[in-house]
């Protein structure tokens, strides 16, 4: 049970999110995937429930909830469509960055329309030549009077081209992390353009494009925080992002375990239901056990981040590594239990496998998660 140990309020958020996932998302999940539909109106309905700025302060339209509340909500929504929920988690991370590091004028200008999802946000860190080595990014922002002139490009940007607000990490100073600043761009700014829509294995309900800057002029008033603070902002955002994406993996795994349970009960081979086969019973037991372990780890990291504990970043990295790896294995095993049916697009389990696979790559690859954990252990 995903609700064990939660407060009454948390059970209520969870129920609202599960109901929304079951009614508004799950019936459309396959179509959004096949036709590559970005379900803007469905997400705006979710925003009316408070899911557009879950951990954003209430004075600018956010829900003001905790990191644990947020994790519970994303896990629940992800049972209905993992790809759409994952985009919503990135959007939430962007609004949180503006809310946390922006000044009053910026918070009031950007956050309310993002929290209502009247407008959508994208996070622009990765470049064609800098993924895991984010501190080597090359997009440059030259100061000219009260503007910056941006040149460069970003790769693999979720929502790119369809969204309105771009939180961009760019180089205003020398090499390395200390030369990076954070600018908020708006669609329609001269010099801002987009690459072709990428064809992806999963995550098809959200468009992915390159974001290109050619002498793009941005007011200095659109800079979040101080010059040189960008990398710090990016990494703080990603601590939450890692919990969020791990939570989306939990939802996909939970849904896949339920699908496997149902299939084992219905499907007969050798004269009896597959559910009578002890090997499959044991595999199902292992899947459920690994899911619960991953869920506890993610929720523990969410609490640590909420409390500002010094081990929070490491716990977020461990949770992201463990949950995204384990949950992919769970979904993949659920597909195997479906036999040939699992490989048909009429069955949802294959979409969970495709949508969840990329969670081991983005928001910091799982190899980078290992680096962060190892560094912490060896520096003691």
């Amino acid at each position: 049970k995903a609700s064990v140990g939660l407060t009454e309020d948390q059970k209520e958020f969870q129920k609202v999110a599960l109901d929304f996932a079951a009614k508004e998302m799950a019936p459309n999940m396959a179509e959004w995937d096949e036709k590559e539909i970005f379900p803007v109106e469905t997400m705006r309905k979710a925003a009316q429930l408070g899911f557009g700025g879950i951990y954003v302060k209430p004075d600018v339209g956010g829900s003001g909830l905790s990191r644990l509340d947020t994790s519970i909500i994303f896990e629940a929504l992800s049972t209905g469509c993992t790809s759409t929920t994952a985009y919503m988690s990135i959007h939430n991370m962007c609004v949180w960055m503006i809310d946390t590091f922006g000044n009053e004028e910026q918070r009031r200008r950007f956050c309310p329309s993002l929290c209502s999802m009247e407008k959508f946000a994208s996070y622009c860190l990765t470049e064609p030549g800098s993924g895991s080595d984010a501190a080597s990014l090359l997009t440059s922002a030259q100061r000219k009077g009260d503007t910056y002139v941006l040149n460069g490009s970003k790769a693999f940007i979720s929502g790119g081209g369809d969204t309105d607000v771009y939180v961009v990490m760019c180089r205003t100073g020398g090499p390395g992390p200390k030369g990076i600043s954070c600018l908020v761009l708006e669609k329609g700014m001269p010099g801002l353009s987009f690459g072709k829509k990428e064809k992806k294995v999963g995550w098809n309900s959200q468009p992915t494009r390159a974001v290109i800057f050619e002498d793009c002029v941005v007011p200095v008033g659109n800079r979040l925080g101080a010059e040189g603070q960008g990398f710090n902002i990016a990494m703080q955002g990603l601590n939450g992002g890692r919990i969020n994406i791990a939570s989306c993996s939990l939802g996909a795994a939970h849904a896949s375990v339920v699908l496997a349970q149902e299939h084992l009960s219905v499907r007969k081979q050798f004269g009896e239901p597959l559910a009578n086969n002890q090997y499959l019973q044991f595999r199902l037991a292992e899947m459920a056990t690994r899911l619960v372990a991953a869920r506890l780890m993610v929720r523990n990291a969410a609490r640590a981040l909420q409390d500002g504990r010094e081990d929070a970043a490491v716990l977020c990295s461990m949770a992201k590594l463990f949950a995204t790896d384990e949950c992919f294995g769970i979904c993949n095993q659920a597909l195997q239990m479906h036999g040939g049916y699992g490989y048909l697009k009429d069955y949802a389990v294959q979409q969970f496998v495709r949508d969840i696979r990329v969670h081991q790559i983005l928001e910091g690859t799982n190899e980078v998660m290992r680096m962060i954990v190892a560094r912490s252990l060896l520096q003691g």
Side-chain angles (χ1 to χ4, degrees):
K1 282 264 187 228
S3 60
V4 172
L6 301 184
T7 66
E8 289 310 309
D9 281 353
Q10 286 165 342
K11 287 178 183 169
E12 194 51 43
F13 303 141
Q14 185 184 50
K15 185 178 183 314
V16 169
L18 283 169
D19 287 350
F20 186 84
K23 294 189 177 88
E24 303 285 343
M25 297 170 85
N28 302 305
M29 171 175 136
E31 185 186 16
W32 293 342
D33 174 68
E34 190 182 348
K35 296 184 180 164
E36 299 184 7
I37 293 165
F38 192 43
V40 169
E41 291 312 319
T42 303
M43 290 191 286
R44 284 182 179 146
K45 278 189 196 169
Q48 287 171 6
L49 300 173
F51 300 157
I54 302 174
Y55 53 111
V56 172
K57 293 195 248 333
D59 66 320
V60 286
S63 299
L65 297 180
S66 74
R67 300 304 183 118
L68 178 56
D69 301 335
T70 305
S71 170
I72 292 161
I73 288 165
F74 284 138
E75 177 180 355
L77 290 174
S78 190
T79 61
C81 179
T82 300
S83 162
T84 305
T85 307
Y87 168 74
M88 288 171 64
S89 83
I90 296 166
H91 171 90
N92 268 267
M93 180 177 76
C94 292
V95 197
W96 174 83
M97 286 179 172
I98 298 171
D99 179 38
T100 304
F101 298 100
N103 57 36
E104 281 309 299
E105 185 274 327
Q106 291 166 332
R107 292 179 68 239
R108 303 211 173 282
R109 176 160 42 125
F110 292 114
C111 293
S113 59
L114 291 169
C115 288
S116 69
M117 284 184 151
E118 174 199 336
K119 292 189 171 171
F120 293 93
S122 289
Y123 178 63
C124 303
L125 175 64
T126 299
E127 298 184 356
S130 70
S132 291
D133 183 13
S136 69
L137 64 85
L138 295 174
T139 294
S140 72
Q142 299 283 329
R143 180 85 185 247
K144 295 228 170 112
D146 56 359
T147 63
Y148 288 101
V149 181
L150 241 68
N151 281 286
S153 66
K154 297 290 178 181
F156 307 128
I157 303 306
S158 290
D162 282 44
T163 50
D164 311 280
V165 173
Y166 296 84
V167 179
V168 180
M169 302 300 160
C170 51
R171 192 163 298 288
T172 51
K178 291 188 172 64
I180 295 171
S181 299
C182 179
L183 300 179
V184 181
L185 274 64
E186 295 166 87
K187 195 176 183 180
M189 283 181 164
L192 173 62
S193 63
F194 306 96
K196 67 173 187 1
K197 186 169 151 182
E198 306 287 2
K199 300 292 282 179
K200 305 192 296 292
V201 169
W203 268 34
N204 288 318
S205 70
Q206 44 168 306
T208 301
R209 293 184 180 87
V211 178
I212 301 157
F213 317 102
E214 296 166 294
D215 291 331
C216 181
V217 180
V218 184
V220 169
N222 280 33
R223 188 186 70 222
L224 285 189
E227 259 196 24
Q229 201 188 345
F231 196 72
N232 179 264
I233 293 173
M235 292 305 114
Q236 285 197 49
L238 282 174
N239 284 332
R242 284 164 186 162
I243 292 174
N244 293 346
I245 216 71
S247 303
C248 293
S249 290
L250 296 173
H254 182 103
S256 296
V257 169
V258 171
L259 290 171
Q261 275 173 297
E262 290 168 356
H263 188 76
L264 294 183
S265 303
V266 172
R267 174 78 166 156
K268 284 194 171 68
Q269 288 295 287
F270 306 108
E272 56 181 335
L274 289 180
N276 291 2
N277 177 302
Q278 194 179 45
Y279 174 78
L280 294 176
Q281 292 172 3
F282 279 16
R283 290 316 295 258
L284 192 66
E286 287 162 17
M287 288 156 69
T289 302
R290 285 155 57 197
L291 172 59
V292 170
R295 180 184 289 137
L296 290 173
M297 223 167 158
V298 172
R299 291 183 182 177
N300 180 51
R303 283 194 188 94
L305 188 60
Q306 184 66 34
D307 296 343
R309 282 175 27 200
E310 61 186 65
D311 59 351
V314 172
L315 289 174
C316 290
S317 297
M318 285 181 170
K320 195 271 184 184
L321 164 64
F322 188 80
T324 59
D325 277 355
E326 289 295 320
C327 290
F328 177 76
I330 291 167
C331 292
N332 199 34
Q333 179 63 48
L335 188 152
Q336 183 71 18
M337 286 175 166
H338 280 72
Y341 293 104
Y343 214 60
L344 301 180
K345 289 212 170 169
D346 306 336
Y347 287 74
V349 69
Q350 51 74 33
Q351 189 175 334
F352 285 119
V353 172
R354 286 186 295 109
D355 282 345
I356 200 182
R357 178 60 183 85
V358 75
H359 297 189
Q360 293 164 284
I361 297 170
L362 44 74
E363 306 272 358
T365 64
N366 285 4
E367 289 70 28
V368 168
M369 297 305 99
R370 290 175 173 91
M371 281 165 56
I372 292 169
V373 174
R375 190 186 311 144
S376 156
L377 290 168
L378 294 170
Q379 286 171 354

